[in-house]
Amino acid sequence: MLLIKWKNKGDSELVTGLHVITIAIISLFISGLILFLEGIIVDDLNLSGDTISTYMFLIIVALCLINSVTYSFKNKKLR
């Protein structure tokens, strides 16, 4: 589908705000799910949690927000 859109790029953008937000939401959902499931596994094995996983989740959240804000500012300047 990306190749079809790439061939017909005459009047539409290749990357839109909807694509950026959708990828950010999918990334947040997957990383949150991994953090949650890791917590369940650690609790079942009576181990202590990992702080690096929490920090990685927070970094992913920050990167998704920065990516969305950067795209919106870049898009406003182009219009």
Side-chain angles (χ1 to χ4, degrees), residues 44-72:
D44 285 343
L45 297 175
N46 292 328
L47 299 173
S48 62
D50 188 17
T51 58
I52 294 179
S53 297
T54 305
Y55 291 143
M56 284 183 7
F57 174 72
L58 293 175
I59 289 170
I60 290 172
V61 169
L63 287 175
C64 287
L65 290 173
I66 290 170
N67 190 21
S68 299
V69 169
T70 304
Y71 181 80
S72 66

Side-chain angles (χ1 to χ4, degrees), residues 25-51:
I25 289 172
I26 290 170
S27 299
L28 288 174
F29 178 74
I30 290 173
S31 61
L33 186 65
I34 289 172
L35 183 68
F36 179 73
L37 292 176
E38 182 185 1
I40 290 174
I41 291 170
V42 167
D43 190 41
D44 285 343
L45 297 175
N46 292 328
L47 299 173
S48 62
D50 188 17
T51 58

Side-chain angles (χ1 to χ4, degrees), residues 3-38:
L3 291 175
I4 294 170
K5 195 159 190 164
W6 185 53
K7 286 182 180 179
N8 297 331
K9 69 176 185 176
D11 59 338
S12 65
E13 294 182 10
L14 189 60
V15 177
T16 62
L18 181 63
H19 291 114
V20 173
I21 292 173
T22 303
I23 291 172
I25 289 172
I26 290 170
S27 299
L28 288 174
F29 178 74
I30 290 173
S31 61
L33 186 65
I34 289 172
L35 183 68
F36 179 73
L37 292 176
E38 182 185 1

